[in-house]
Each structure stands twice: as structure tokens, then as C-alpha cells.
Amino acid sequence: MSIWRIHGGKSLYGDIKIQGAKNAVLPIMAATIITGCETELINCPQLSDVEAAMSILRHLGCIAQRDGDTVYINSHGMCRTDIPHELMREMRSSVIFLGAILARTHEAKMSYPGGCELGPRPIDLHLEALRSLGADIYDSGGCLHCSDRGLHGTRINLSFPSVGATENAMLAACAAEGETVITNAAREPEILDLQEFLRKLGVSIHGAGTPTITIDGFKPRSVVGHRVMTDRIASATALCCTASSKGCVTLKGVVPAHFETVTDALEYMGCDIERGRNSLKITAEKPLRAPKPIVTRPYPDFPTDAQPLLMAACLKAEGTTVFTENIFENRYRHVVELKRLGADISVVGRVAMVTGVQKLVGAQVSSADLRGGAALVTAALGAQGETVVYDAGHISRGYEGLSEMLISLGADVSVTSED
Ligand code: EPZ
């Protein structure tokens, strides 16, 4: 258990470099097993989810080593096709390895990924896509058994632009005979980064970032180098921390277009935003007003992962902010904790109404999930007195050095760990 002690009221000032993207590097790490190649991943964030992915790679027989922000993977020695429950449990999104294992070995076995803090997290779209490529998949005792006698190109129409299902389909299609077209594909920037990596691997693939992705050939290369894109949600988190605490912060090495729905909302609230080619400066000195209604939808609309973070930044904004969470069924678990700080929030179904209050007062709170935990830290920065956030490892799954980053900007934060 990590215990964060935050004394709010300190404005944040300075420049920060944003980490590599968790949700880009995880599917790319899975992709490294498609051929027995050697991969060097640069700008790889130091996160427990990345460590979990490295453990899966080693279990499969691959070499996975870290040297600073570079991770070296050699999948030549892959000799297993199963992911045991204890490794699946460490990272719910381990299911993104399914398509890659199938593409390499034509068989895969993994425990059925259970639900998690955000809701049931089904994988029916993943399985439908893999079956249409020719995989036989059955569930026996909570375990998925997959095999194929050769994958064949096909047309995959996703009923929902699921990020994970799009990635699994892309990875399995690399080994399919003939052309595969994925329609209604997810358009997130992380999908583009995966396409970039697959092209370096020798895959003929195009369309990522649009609703239609085509994979039509593969001339495997044996050595690949790739720089992971910057994390757009970590960028949004830094911006919301600044809005909550006041101050002036410049984000370096970012792509402003990747999180413009968040910056648009913060600008409407009264923050000054200066966009550079690969930097962005936020100045939050004035009292804030509530943004227009926030509705989470697949990219390029407002990202569900930023909903808890912007909510934390809205708690003292004048007026009422209406949030509608369309992606996950259970993504308001941070609300009850924010109310302990004095926030005025009411939730009915998928809608959360946040009415700005004059002040927030520090309290003891607990994080229930990754972005909800970051939202508690964000709100604590703008609260009077000390807030203690009890976090059972959620925050470190997705943020590299969040406390160090905040301290470098002037926040009064300390983190200790207790068993
Ligand atoms: C990815 O999760 C991200 N995780 C999530 O980030 C992110 O919130 C989500 O995409 C949406 O952008 C990673 O990339 C590792 P989905 P994923 O499949 O792939 C339903 C974070 O905080 N669905 O797009 O699991 C599902 O239940 C995490 O960094 C099905 O019904 O998201 C959900 O309601 C949280 N059947 C919706 O689609 C399926 O087969 C979106 O899920 C798959 C998904």
C-alpha cells in the first residue's frame, strides 16, 4: 500500500517531460512476439503494468530487459503459449497478448481476464475478431483455449470501436494468409503507434487512425527499434493538476493534438493554453468556471481516462459541470472519495453533476483504480490542509514518478509504502 500525503494550496511552476504511453507500449510489447525478432523500445515508461508485460514475455520464453527508459526484447526463444492466472491477474489487459501468441504459434491458452474496477470488461469483440480470422476458441473452467490451422484474411466489422479488440485483430492478422480489413476500428493515437511498430516489423498495414485498417502482407524483419509515443493521459493529468492547484506548467515532448478535447475544456474553464509543435504551456491563475458538458466517447472525442482527472479540476469551478461516462459502467468510484474532500457531486446512472464549491478540505481517501487515484491526488493539490491518499498500487500501474514530477513543480507531496 502506498500512502500519499499531500498538503494542498501550493501552486505548480516549471517544465516537465511526459512519460512514454502505457497504452501504446503494452500492445507493442505483445507485438514483439509475432516473429522471433529483437526489439529495442525507447521511451518505455517505468510502470508496474510494463513490468507485468515483461514477466509475461519471460514466462513465454523471451528475453526482456530494461536499461533506463529502454526495454530490450528478444522473442526468438519463445517456447510457451500459455499465460498463467497469476500473470493475467497482474494486468487485466494481458488479453492483448492473445492475438500475438496465436499469430506466432497458432495456439494460446490464458485464464479468462476477469472484470476489474471499471466494470465487467468483456472480451467478446476480441474473440469474435479472432474467430473470423480462423481461430477455434473455447472457454473451459475460466480458461481460454485457442488454436488455428492457419489464419486467413477476412473482413472484421467491430460492433464497437474497442481499442483492445482492434489491437488483437491487427496482431493476429499479421499471420493471416491474404488481406484483412478491420472496419469500425478504434482510432486512438496508440493504434497509430502500433501500426508504426508493425510497419517496422515488416507488416504491410495502413489506415490506423481511421475507422478502416487494412493488413495485407508481412515480410518479417529480425531487428526493430521504436520510440514509444508520449502518454496523452499522463499529459492530461499534469494539466488537470495545474488547473486544480493553480500555477504555470510547460509539458515537453507532447503532441497537443492527442489531448485537445481536454485542453479545449480547460481553456473554456479559464486556463490559458499555449500550444507548441511538441510542447504545451498551461497557465491557471484565474478563478475557473465550469466547462461545457463532458461526454466520454471513443477517440477523437473526450477520453474516458481523462474523465476522473477533469472532474477533480472542476470541483471548485464556478457553476455546474455535467459528466456523462459512456465507455465504462463503473467509472465513478472516485466520486465518493472526492466528496470526503467537500466536493458537491451527485451521480445518476452514467451522469455525474459537479457543482463548484468555495473550498476543499483535506481528508483521508482511498483510490479504487488507476485514473481515480490520480484524480484524488489532483483534487488534494487544490484542497486546504493535508490529504492522505491510500493507494493499493493503482497509481504506479500507469504513472511513472507522478509524485516526483509534482514535487519538482513545487507541490508538497510525500509517498511512503506500508505492507
Ligand atoms: C483501453 O482499454 C485502455 N487500456 C483503457 O485505458 C481505455 O480506457 C480504453 O481503451 C478506452 O479508451 C489499454 O489500452 C491497456 P475498450 P480496453 O476495449 O481496450 C467494451 C487506463 O486507465 N468492450 O475500448 O479494455 C468495454 O467493456 C485504461 O489507462 C466490450 O463490450 O477498452 C468497454 O465498455 C483504463 N467487448 C468499452 O468496450 C469487448 O470485447 C471500451 O473498451 C471489448 C470491449
Side-chain angles (χ1 to χ4, degrees), residues 261-297:
T261 52
V262 179
T263 42
D264 288 351
L266 290 167
E267 213 159 21
Y268 184 90
M269 290 171 70
C271 299
D272 293 323
I273 303 282
E274 284 174 56
R275 295 167 179 80
R277 205 171 59 78
N278 56 10
S279 67
L280 186 136
K281 179 179 172 184
I282 181 171
T283 306
E285 304 288 7
K286 298 175 283 196
L288 300 179
R289 66 172 179 171
K292 293 176 184 168
I294 302 294
V295 182
T296 69
R297 290 195 190 92

PDB file of all heavy atoms in Angstrom, residues 261-297:
ATOM      1  N   THR A 261      -9.217  17.657 -26.698  1.00  0.00           N
ATOM      2  CA  THR A 261     -10.539  17.771 -26.057  1.00  0.00           C
ATOM      3  C   THR A 261     -10.376  18.171 -24.594  1.00  0.00           C
ATOM      4  O   THR A 261     -11.192  18.900 -24.034  1.00  0.00           O
ATOM      5  CB  THR A 261     -11.301  16.433 -26.132  1.00  0.00           C
ATOM      6  OG1 THR A 261     -10.458  15.395 -25.638  1.00  0.00           O
ATOM      7  CG2 THR A 261     -11.755  16.120 -27.549  1.00  0.00           C
ATOM      8  N   VAL A 262      -9.286  17.745 -23.978  1.00  0.00           N
ATOM      9  CA  VAL A 262      -9.024  18.112 -22.577  1.00  0.00           C
ATOM     10  C   VAL A 262      -8.567  19.562 -22.501  1.00  0.00           C
ATOM     11  O   VAL A 262      -9.074  20.351 -21.684  1.00  0.00           O
ATOM     12  CB  VAL A 262      -7.968  17.172 -21.954  1.00  0.00           C
ATOM     13  CG1 VAL A 262      -7.686  17.564 -20.505  1.00  0.00           C
ATOM     14  CG2 VAL A 262      -8.427  15.723 -22.029  1.00  0.00           C
ATOM     15  N   THR A 263      -7.646  19.958 -23.386  1.00  0.00           N
ATOM     16  CA  THR A 263      -7.173  21.356 -23.347  1.00  0.00           C
ATOM     17  C   THR A 263      -8.294  22.316 -23.734  1.00  0.00           C
ATOM     18  O   THR A 263      -8.404  23.405 -23.174  1.00  0.00           O
ATOM     19  CB  THR A 263      -5.967  21.556 -24.290  1.00  0.00           C
ATOM     20  OG1 THR A 263      -6.199  20.871 -25.518  1.00  0.00           O
ATOM     21  CG2 THR A 263      -4.713  20.983 -23.661  1.00  0.00           C
ATOM     22  N   ASP A 264      -9.174  21.888 -24.654  1.00  0.00           N
ATOM     23  CA  ASP A 264     -10.311  22.764 -25.003  1.00  0.00           C
ATOM     24  C   ASP A 264     -11.172  23.027 -23.772  1.00  0.00           C
ATOM     25  O   ASP A 264     -11.598  24.159 -23.508  1.00  0.00           O
ATOM     26  CB  ASP A 264     -11.172  22.109 -26.103  1.00  0.00           C
ATOM     27  CG  ASP A 264     -10.485  22.123 -27.460  1.00  0.00           C
ATOM     28  OD1 ASP A 264      -9.422  22.794 -27.579  1.00  0.00           O
ATOM     29  OD2 ASP A 264     -10.986  21.458 -28.391  1.00  0.00           O
ATOM     30  N   ALA A 265     -11.421  21.976 -22.984  1.00  0.00           N
ATOM     31  CA  ALA A 265     -12.258  22.129 -21.779  1.00  0.00           C
ATOM     32  C   ALA A 265     -11.570  23.048 -20.765  1.00  0.00           C
ATOM     33  O   ALA A 265     -12.195  23.963 -20.196  1.00  0.00           O
ATOM     34  CB  ALA A 265     -12.529  20.764 -21.156  1.00  0.00           C
ATOM     35  N   LEU A 266     -10.261  22.848 -20.570  1.00  0.00           N
ATOM     36  CA  LEU A 266      -9.522  23.673 -19.591  1.00  0.00           C
ATOM     37  C   LEU A 266      -9.472  25.130 -20.046  1.00  0.00           C
ATOM     38  O   LEU A 266      -9.566  26.055 -19.230  1.00  0.00           O
ATOM     39  CB  LEU A 266      -8.112  23.106 -19.399  1.00  0.00           C
ATOM     40  CG  LEU A 266      -8.042  21.759 -18.653  1.00  0.00           C
ATOM     41  CD1 LEU A 266      -6.658  21.135 -18.785  1.00  0.00           C
ATOM     42  CD2 LEU A 266      -8.417  21.939 -17.178  1.00  0.00           C
ATOM     43  N   GLU A 267      -9.340  25.320 -21.373  1.00  0.00           N
ATOM     44  CA  GLU A 267      -9.325  26.705 -21.906  1.00  0.00           C
ATOM     45  C   GLU A 267     -10.673  27.369 -21.641  1.00  0.00           C
ATOM     46  O   GLU A 267     -10.768  28.496 -21.187  1.00  0.00           O
ATOM     47  CB  GLU A 267      -9.051  26.645 -23.417  1.00  0.00           C
ATOM     48  CG  GLU A 267      -8.261  27.799 -23.954  1.00  0.00           C
ATOM     49  CD  GLU A 267      -7.585  27.466 -25.297  1.00  0.00           C
ATOM     50  OE1 GLU A 267      -8.024  26.520 -26.005  1.00  0.00           O
ATOM     51  OE2 GLU A 267      -6.600  28.135 -25.618  1.00  0.00           O
ATOM     52  N   TYR A 268     -11.766  26.621 -21.876  1.00  0.00           N
ATOM     53  CA  TYR A 268     -13.113  27.167 -21.652  1.00  0.00           C
ATOM     54  C   TYR A 268     -13.304  27.521 -20.168  1.00  0.00           C
ATOM     55  O   TYR A 268     -13.954  28.499 -19.810  1.00  0.00           O
ATOM     56  CB  TYR A 268     -14.165  26.131 -22.074  1.00  0.00           C
ATOM     57  CG  TYR A 268     -15.583  26.637 -21.967  1.00  0.00           C
ATOM     58  CD1 TYR A 268     -16.190  27.287 -23.044  1.00  0.00           C
ATOM     59  CD2 TYR A 268     -16.308  26.498 -20.780  1.00  0.00           C
ATOM     60  CE1 TYR A 268     -17.492  27.765 -22.938  1.00  0.00           C
ATOM     61  CE2 TYR A 268     -17.605  26.988 -20.661  1.00  0.00           C
ATOM     62  CZ  TYR A 268     -18.195  27.612 -21.735  1.00  0.00           C
ATOM     63  OH  TYR A 268     -19.473  28.105 -21.622  1.00  0.00           O
ATOM     64  N   MET A 269     -12.628  26.736 -19.311  1.00  0.00           N
ATOM     65  CA  MET A 269     -12.758  26.963 -17.859  1.00  0.00           C
ATOM     66  C   MET A 269     -12.027  28.232 -17.417  1.00  0.00           C
ATOM     67  O   MET A 269     -12.276  28.730 -16.318  1.00  0.00           O
ATOM     68  CB  MET A 269     -12.209  25.748 -17.104  1.00  0.00           C
ATOM     69  CG  MET A 269     -13.078  24.504 -17.245  1.00  0.00           C
ATOM     70  SD  MET A 269     -12.266  23.031 -16.575  1.00  0.00           S
ATOM     71  CE  MET A 269     -12.324  23.404 -14.816  1.00  0.00           C
ATOM     72  N   GLY A 270     -11.091  28.727 -18.256  1.00  0.00           N
ATOM     73  CA  GLY A 270     -10.376  29.957 -17.891  1.00  0.00           C
ATOM     74  C   GLY A 270      -8.876  29.788 -17.803  1.00  0.00           C
ATOM     75  O   GLY A 270      -8.166  30.718 -17.400  1.00  0.00           O
ATOM     76  N   CYS A 271      -8.351  28.621 -18.176  1.00  0.00           N
ATOM     77  CA  CYS A 271      -6.894  28.440 -18.214  1.00  0.00           C
ATOM     78  C   CYS A 271      -6.364  28.984 -19.539  1.00  0.00           C
ATOM     79  O   CYS A 271      -7.028  28.878 -20.568  1.00  0.00           O
ATOM     80  CB  CYS A 271      -6.534  26.953 -18.118  1.00  0.00           C
ATOM     81  SG  CYS A 271      -7.094  26.174 -16.601  1.00  0.00           S
ATOM     82  N   ASP A 272      -5.161  29.562 -19.490  1.00  0.00           N
ATOM     83  CA  ASP A 272      -4.513  29.977 -20.756  1.00  0.00           C
ATOM     84  C   ASP A 272      -3.680  28.813 -21.261  1.00  0.00           C
ATOM     85  O   ASP A 272      -2.906  28.221 -20.491  1.00  0.00           O
ATOM     86  CB  ASP A 272      -3.606  31.196 -20.503  1.00  0.00           C
ATOM     87  CG  ASP A 272      -4.443  32.427 -20.125  1.00  0.00           C
ATOM     88  OD1 ASP A 272      -5.547  32.568 -20.702  1.00  0.00           O
ATOM     89  OD2 ASP A 272      -4.042  33.174 -19.234  1.00  0.00           O
ATOM     90  N   ILE A 273      -3.849  28.492 -22.539  1.00  0.00           N
ATOM     91  CA  ILE A 273      -3.121  27.349 -23.125  1.00  0.00           C
ATOM     92  C   ILE A 273      -2.314  27.860 -24.311  1.00  0.00           C
ATOM     93  O   ILE A 273      -2.851  28.496 -25.206  1.00  0.00           O
ATOM     94  CB  ILE A 273      -4.110  26.264 -23.620  1.00  0.00           C
ATOM     95  CG1 ILE A 273      -5.024  25.788 -22.491  1.00  0.00           C
ATOM     96  CG2 ILE A 273      -3.349  25.110 -24.266  1.00  0.00           C
ATOM     97  CD1 ILE A 273      -4.446  24.819 -21.513  1.00  0.00           C
ATOM     98  N   GLU A 274      -0.998  27.592 -24.280  1.00  0.00           N
ATOM     99  CA  GLU A 274      -0.145  27.955 -25.427  1.00  0.00           C
ATOM    100  C   GLU A 274       0.368  26.662 -26.049  1.00  0.00           C
ATOM    101  O   GLU A 274       1.061  25.881 -25.366  1.00  0.00           O
ATOM    102  CB  GLU A 274       1.049  28.801 -24.969  1.00  0.00           C
ATOM    103  CG  GLU A 274       0.736  30.249 -24.643  1.00  0.00           C
ATOM    104  CD  GLU A 274       1.957  30.945 -24.052  1.00  0.00           C
ATOM    105  OE1 GLU A 274       3.030  30.935 -24.716  1.00  0.00           O
ATOM    106  OE2 GLU A 274       1.855  31.414 -22.903  1.00  0.00           O
ATOM    107  N   ARG A 275       0.020  26.409 -27.305  1.00  0.00           N
ATOM    108  CA  ARG A 275       0.385  25.144 -27.950  1.00  0.00           C
ATOM    109  C   ARG A 275       1.643  25.315 -28.788  1.00  0.00           C
ATOM    110  O   ARG A 275       1.706  26.212 -29.623  1.00  0.00           O
ATOM    111  CB  ARG A 275      -0.769  24.678 -28.846  1.00  0.00           C
ATOM    112  CG  ARG A 275      -2.028  24.319 -28.073  1.00  0.00           C
ATOM    113  CD  ARG A 275      -3.223  24.165 -29.006  1.00  0.00           C
ATOM    114  NE  ARG A 275      -4.439  23.806 -28.265  1.00  0.00           N
ATOM    115  CZ  ARG A 275      -5.201  24.674 -27.599  1.00  0.00           C
ATOM    116  NH1 ARG A 275      -4.837  25.955 -27.568  1.00  0.00           N
ATOM    117  NH2 ARG A 275      -6.276  24.278 -26.955  1.00  0.00           N
ATOM    118  N   GLY A 276       2.638  24.440 -28.584  1.00  0.00           N
ATOM    119  CA  GLY A 276       3.815  24.412 -29.441  1.00  0.00           C
ATOM    120  C   GLY A 276       3.750  23.170 -30.309  1.00  0.00           C
ATOM    121  O   GLY A 276       2.787  22.394 -30.213  1.00  0.00           O
ATOM    122  N   ARG A 277       4.795  22.956 -31.173  1.00  0.00           N
ATOM    123  CA  ARG A 277       4.753  21.779 -32.047  1.00  0.00           C
ATOM    124  C   ARG A 277       4.804  20.504 -31.193  1.00  0.00           C
ATOM    125  O   ARG A 277       4.034  19.574 -31.395  1.00  0.00           O
ATOM    126  CB  ARG A 277       5.948  21.812 -33.025  1.00  0.00           C
ATOM    127  CG  ARG A 277       5.692  21.023 -34.332  1.00  0.00           C
ATOM    128  CD  ARG A 277       6.789  21.265 -35.363  1.00  0.00           C
ATOM    129  NE  ARG A 277       8.087  20.869 -34.817  1.00  0.00           N
ATOM    130  CZ  ARG A 277       8.449  19.576 -34.746  1.00  0.00           C
ATOM    131  NH1 ARG A 277       7.624  18.633 -35.119  1.00  0.00           N
ATOM    132  NH2 ARG A 277       9.625  19.242 -34.284  1.00  0.00           N
ATOM    133  N   ASN A 278       5.722  20.469 -30.213  1.00  0.00           N
ATOM    134  CA  ASN A 278       5.714  19.292 -29.324  1.00  0.00           C
ATOM    135  C   ASN A 278       5.862  19.716 -27.873  1.00  0.00           C
ATOM    136  O   ASN A 278       6.612  19.117 -27.083  1.00  0.00           O
ATOM    137  CB  ASN A 278       6.787  18.282 -29.721  1.00  0.00           C
ATOM    138  CG  ASN A 278       8.157  18.923 -29.744  1.00  0.00           C
ATOM    139  OD1 ASN A 278       8.320  20.057 -29.287  1.00  0.00           O
ATOM    140  ND2 ASN A 278       9.140  18.203 -30.235  1.00  0.00           N
ATOM    141  N   SER A 279       5.126  20.803 -27.556  1.00  0.00           N
ATOM    142  CA  SER A 279       5.072  21.240 -26.149  1.00  0.00           C
ATOM    143  C   SER A 279       3.733  21.934 -25.939  1.00  0.00           C
ATOM    144  O   SER A 279       3.026  22.262 -26.905  1.00  0.00           O
ATOM    145  CB  SER A 279       6.208  22.232 -25.855  1.00  0.00           C
ATOM    146  OG  SER A 279       5.972  23.430 -26.601  1.00  0.00           O
ATOM    147  N   LEU A 280       3.386  22.122 -24.677  1.00  0.00           N
ATOM    148  CA  LEU A 280       2.150  22.844 -24.367  1.00  0.00           C
ATOM    149  C   LEU A 280       2.303  23.475 -22.994  1.00  0.00           C
ATOM    150  O   LEU A 280       2.799  22.828 -22.061  1.00  0.00           O
ATOM    151  CB  LEU A 280       0.959  21.867 -24.359  1.00  0.00           C
ATOM    152  CG  LEU A 280      -0.411  22.527 -24.177  1.00  0.00           C
ATOM    153  CD1 LEU A 280      -1.432  21.926 -25.144  1.00  0.00           C
ATOM    154  CD2 LEU A 280      -0.888  22.403 -22.751  1.00  0.00           C
ATOM    155  N   LYS A 281       1.930  24.768 -22.919  1.00  0.00           N
ATOM    156  CA  LYS A 281       2.064  25.509 -21.652  1.00  0.00           C
ATOM    157  C   LYS A 281       0.672  25.861 -21.134  1.00  0.00           C
ATOM    158  O   LYS A 281      -0.161  26.370 -21.885  1.00  0.00           O
ATOM    159  CB  LYS A 281       2.874  26.789 -21.908  1.00  0.00           C
ATOM    160  CG  LYS A 281       3.078  27.671 -20.697  1.00  0.00           C
ATOM    161  CD  LYS A 281       3.912  28.883 -21.080  1.00  0.00           C
ATOM    162  CE  LYS A 281       4.020  29.932 -19.997  1.00  0.00           C
ATOM    163  NZ  LYS A 281       4.773  31.139 -20.482  1.00  0.00           N
ATOM    164  N   ILE A 282       0.421  25.550 -19.869  1.00  0.00           N
ATOM    165  CA  ILE A 282      -0.852  25.920 -19.251  1.00  0.00           C
ATOM    166  C   ILE A 282      -0.593  26.928 -18.150  1.00  0.00           C
ATOM    167  O   ILE A 282       0.331  26.776 -17.354  1.00  0.00           O
ATOM    168  CB  ILE A 282      -1.597  24.688 -18.680  1.00  0.00           C
ATOM    169  CG1 ILE A 282      -2.946  25.106 -18.063  1.00  0.00           C
ATOM    170  CG2 ILE A 282      -0.745  23.930 -17.669  1.00  0.00           C
ATOM    171  CD1 ILE A 282      -3.844  23.947 -17.673  1.00  0.00           C
ATOM    172  N   THR A 283      -1.396  27.990 -18.129  1.00  0.00           N
ATOM    173  CA  THR A 283      -1.333  28.976 -17.044  1.00  0.00           C
ATOM    174  C   THR A 283      -2.706  29.037 -16.394  1.00  0.00           C
ATOM    175  O   THR A 283      -3.701  29.304 -17.080  1.00  0.00           O
ATOM    176  CB  THR A 283      -0.941  30.377 -17.580  1.00  0.00           C
ATOM    177  OG1 THR A 283       0.277  30.262 -18.314  1.00  0.00           O
ATOM    178  CG2 THR A 283      -0.764  31.363 -16.427  1.00  0.00           C
ATOM    179  N   ALA A 284      -2.755  28.707 -15.131  1.00  0.00           N
ATOM    180  CA  ALA A 284      -4.037  28.720 -14.403  1.00  0.00           C
ATOM    181  C   ALA A 284      -3.857  29.648 -13.205  1.00  0.00           C
ATOM    182  O   ALA A 284      -3.303  29.258 -12.181  1.00  0.00           O
ATOM    183  CB  ALA A 284      -4.390  27.316 -13.942  1.00  0.00           C
ATOM    184  N   GLU A 285      -4.266  30.891 -13.389  1.00  0.00           N
ATOM    185  CA  GLU A 285      -4.117  31.854 -12.294  1.00  0.00           C
ATOM    186  C   GLU A 285      -5.489  32.404 -11.867  1.00  0.00           C
ATOM    187  O   GLU A 285      -5.694  32.787 -10.759  1.00  0.00           O
ATOM    188  CB  GLU A 285      -3.227  33.045 -12.738  1.00  0.00           C
ATOM    189  CG  GLU A 285      -1.827  32.676 -13.263  1.00  0.00           C
ATOM    190  CD  GLU A 285      -0.882  32.218 -12.156  1.00  0.00           C
ATOM    191  OE1 GLU A 285      -1.344  32.052 -11.014  1.00  0.00           O
ATOM    192  OE2 GLU A 285       0.316  31.950 -12.432  1.00  0.00           O
ATOM    193  N   LYS A 286      -6.455  32.361 -12.811  1.00  0.00           N
ATOM    194  CA  LYS A 286      -7.754  32.993 -12.537  1.00  0.00           C
ATOM    195  C   LYS A 286      -8.714  31.956 -11.915  1.00  0.00           C
ATOM    196  O   LYS A 286      -8.538  30.751 -12.082  1.00  0.00           O
ATOM    197  CB  LYS A 286      -8.375  33.499 -13.853  1.00  0.00           C
ATOM    198  CG  LYS A 286      -7.556  34.574 -14.568  1.00  0.00           C
ATOM    199  CD  LYS A 286      -8.186  34.940 -15.921  1.00  0.00           C
ATOM    200  CE  LYS A 286      -7.873  33.867 -16.932  1.00  0.00           C
ATOM    201  NZ  LYS A 286      -8.097  34.246 -18.341  1.00  0.00           N
ATOM    202  N   PRO A 287      -9.775  32.456 -11.227  1.00  0.00           N
ATOM    203  CA  PRO A 287     -10.815  31.508 -10.772  1.00  0.00           C
ATOM    204  C   PRO A 287     -11.419  30.814 -11.990  1.00  0.00           C
ATOM    205  O   PRO A 287     -11.591  31.435 -13.043  1.00  0.00           O
ATOM    206  CB  PRO A 287     -11.832  32.427 -10.084  1.00  0.00           C
ATOM    207  CG  PRO A 287     -11.096  33.696  -9.765  1.00  0.00           C
ATOM    208  CD  PRO A 287     -10.049  33.840 -10.832  1.00  0.00           C
ATOM    209  N   LEU A 288     -11.738  29.565 -11.881  1.00  0.00           N
ATOM    210  CA  LEU A 288     -12.223  28.782 -13.031  1.00  0.00           C
ATOM    211  C   LEU A 288     -13.746  28.715 -13.041  1.00  0.00           C
ATOM    212  O   LEU A 288     -14.400  28.819 -12.003  1.00  0.00           O
ATOM    213  CB  LEU A 288     -11.642  27.367 -12.961  1.00  0.00           C
ATOM    214  CG  LEU A 288     -10.102  27.278 -12.979  1.00  0.00           C
ATOM    215  CD1 LEU A 288      -9.662  25.817 -12.876  1.00  0.00           C
ATOM    216  CD2 LEU A 288      -9.540  27.927 -14.247  1.00  0.00           C
ATOM    217  N   ARG A 289     -14.268  28.541 -14.265  1.00  0.00           N
ATOM    218  CA  ARG A 289     -15.724  28.310 -14.394  1.00  0.00           C
ATOM    219  C   ARG A 289     -15.951  26.913 -14.952  1.00  0.00           C
ATOM    220  O   ARG A 289     -15.057  26.323 -15.572  1.00  0.00           O
ATOM    221  CB  ARG A 289     -16.341  29.363 -15.303  1.00  0.00           C
ATOM    222  CG  ARG A 289     -15.856  29.273 -16.741  1.00  0.00           C
ATOM    223  CD  ARG A 289     -16.641  30.200 -17.665  1.00  0.00           C
ATOM    224  NE  ARG A 289     -16.131  30.112 -19.028  1.00  0.00           N
ATOM    225  CZ  ARG A 289     -16.738  30.680 -20.077  1.00  0.00           C
ATOM    226  NH1 ARG A 289     -17.850  31.370 -19.902  1.00  0.00           N
ATOM    227  NH2 ARG A 289     -16.236  30.572 -21.296  1.00  0.00           N
ATOM    228  N   ALA A 290     -17.130  26.389 -14.758  1.00  0.00           N
ATOM    229  CA  ALA A 290     -17.448  25.027 -15.216  1.00  0.00           C
ATOM    230  C   ALA A 290     -17.349  24.940 -16.738  1.00  0.00           C
ATOM    231  O   ALA A 290     -17.746  25.866 -17.438  1.00  0.00           O
ATOM    232  CB  ALA A 290     -18.847  24.648 -14.756  1.00  0.00           C
ATOM    233  N   PRO A 291     -16.799  23.832 -17.264  1.00  0.00           N
ATOM    234  CA  PRO A 291     -16.741  23.642 -18.713  1.00  0.00           C
ATOM    235  C   PRO A 291     -18.115  23.258 -19.259  1.00  0.00           C
ATOM    236  O   PRO A 291     -19.042  22.966 -18.485  1.00  0.00           O
ATOM    237  CB  PRO A 291     -15.761  22.487 -18.885  1.00  0.00           C
ATOM    238  CG  PRO A 291     -15.955  21.657 -17.646  1.00  0.00           C
ATOM    239  CD  PRO A 291     -16.255  22.647 -16.550  1.00  0.00           C
ATOM    240  N   LYS A 292     -18.219  23.214 -20.578  1.00  0.00           N
ATOM    241  CA  LYS A 292     -19.451  22.687 -21.201  1.00  0.00           C
ATOM    242  C   LYS A 292     -19.579  21.203 -20.831  1.00  0.00           C
ATOM    243  O   LYS A 292     -18.613  20.594 -20.382  1.00  0.00           O
ATOM    244  CB  LYS A 292     -19.350  22.838 -22.731  1.00  0.00           C
ATOM    245  CG  LYS A 292     -19.357  24.286 -23.207  1.00  0.00           C
ATOM    246  CD  LYS A 292     -19.156  24.357 -24.706  1.00  0.00           C
ATOM    247  CE  LYS A 292     -19.071  25.818 -25.197  1.00  0.00           C
ATOM    248  NZ  LYS A 292     -18.589  25.865 -26.608  1.00  0.00           N
ATOM    249  N   PRO A 293     -20.752  20.609 -20.995  1.00  0.00           N
ATOM    250  CA  PRO A 293     -20.913  19.180 -20.638  1.00  0.00           C
ATOM    251  C   PRO A 293     -19.812  18.291 -21.212  1.00  0.00           C
ATOM    252  O   PRO A 293     -19.390  18.477 -22.357  1.00  0.00           O
ATOM    253  CB  PRO A 293     -22.280  18.831 -21.234  1.00  0.00           C
ATOM    254  CG  PRO A 293     -23.039  20.125 -21.200  1.00  0.00           C
ATOM    255  CD  PRO A 293     -22.014  21.189 -21.486  1.00  0.00           C
ATOM    256  N   ILE A 294     -19.321  17.382 -20.397  1.00  0.00           N
ATOM    257  CA  ILE A 294     -18.240  16.478 -20.790  1.00  0.00           C
ATOM    258  C   ILE A 294     -18.844  15.101 -21.063  1.00  0.00           C
ATOM    259  O   ILE A 294     -19.407  14.472 -20.151  1.00  0.00           O
ATOM    260  CB  ILE A 294     -17.178  16.368 -19.680  1.00  0.00           C
ATOM    261  CG1 ILE A 294     -16.597  17.754 -19.347  1.00  0.00           C
ATOM    262  CG2 ILE A 294     -16.082  15.375 -20.065  1.00  0.00           C
ATOM    263  CD1 ILE A 294     -15.793  18.399 -20.464  1.00  0.00           C
ATOM    264  N   VAL A 295     -18.741  14.635 -22.302  1.00  0.00           N
ATOM    265  CA  VAL A 295     -19.315  13.340 -22.694  1.00  0.00           C
ATOM    266  C   VAL A 295     -18.187  12.453 -23.194  1.00  0.00           C
ATOM    267  O   VAL A 295     -17.523  12.798 -24.181  1.00  0.00           O
ATOM    268  CB  VAL A 295     -20.369  13.525 -23.811  1.00  0.00           C
ATOM    269  CG1 VAL A 295     -20.988  12.173 -24.185  1.00  0.00           C
ATOM    270  CG2 VAL A 295     -21.451  14.508 -23.362  1.00  0.00           C
ATOM    271  N   THR A 296     -17.947  11.340 -22.518  1.00  0.00           N
ATOM    272  CA  THR A 296     -16.828  10.476 -22.952  1.00  0.00           C
ATOM    273  C   THR A 296     -17.272   9.564 -24.082  1.00  0.00           C
ATOM    274  O   THR A 296     -18.357   8.972 -24.047  1.00  0.00           O
ATOM    275  CB  THR A 296     -16.301   9.603 -21.790  1.00  0.00           C
ATOM    276  OG1 THR A 296     -17.289   8.628 -21.438  1.00  0.00           O
ATOM    277  CG2 THR A 296     -15.944  10.455 -20.587  1.00  0.00           C
ATOM    278  N   ARG A 297     -16.424   9.513 -25.118  1.00  0.00           N
ATOM    279  CA  ARG A 297     -16.683   8.649 -26.280  1.00  0.00           C
ATOM    280  C   ARG A 297     -15.327   8.203 -26.824  1.00  0.00           C
ATOM    281  O   ARG A 297     -14.282   8.735 -26.435  1.00  0.00           O
ATOM    282  CB  ARG A 297     -17.416   9.455 -27.370  1.00  0.00           C
ATOM    283  CG  ARG A 297     -18.849   9.841 -27.045  1.00  0.00           C
ATOM    284  CD  ARG A 297     -19.587  10.303 -28.300  1.00  0.00           C
ATOM    285  NE  ARG A 297     -20.897  10.897 -27.996  1.00  0.00           N
ATOM    286  CZ  ARG A 297     -21.096  12.216 -27.785  1.00  0.00           C
ATOM    287  NH1 ARG A 297     -20.078  13.065 -27.833  1.00  0.00           N
ATOM    288  NH2 ARG A 297     -22.298  12.708 -27.520  1.00  0.00           N
TER     289      ARG A 297
END
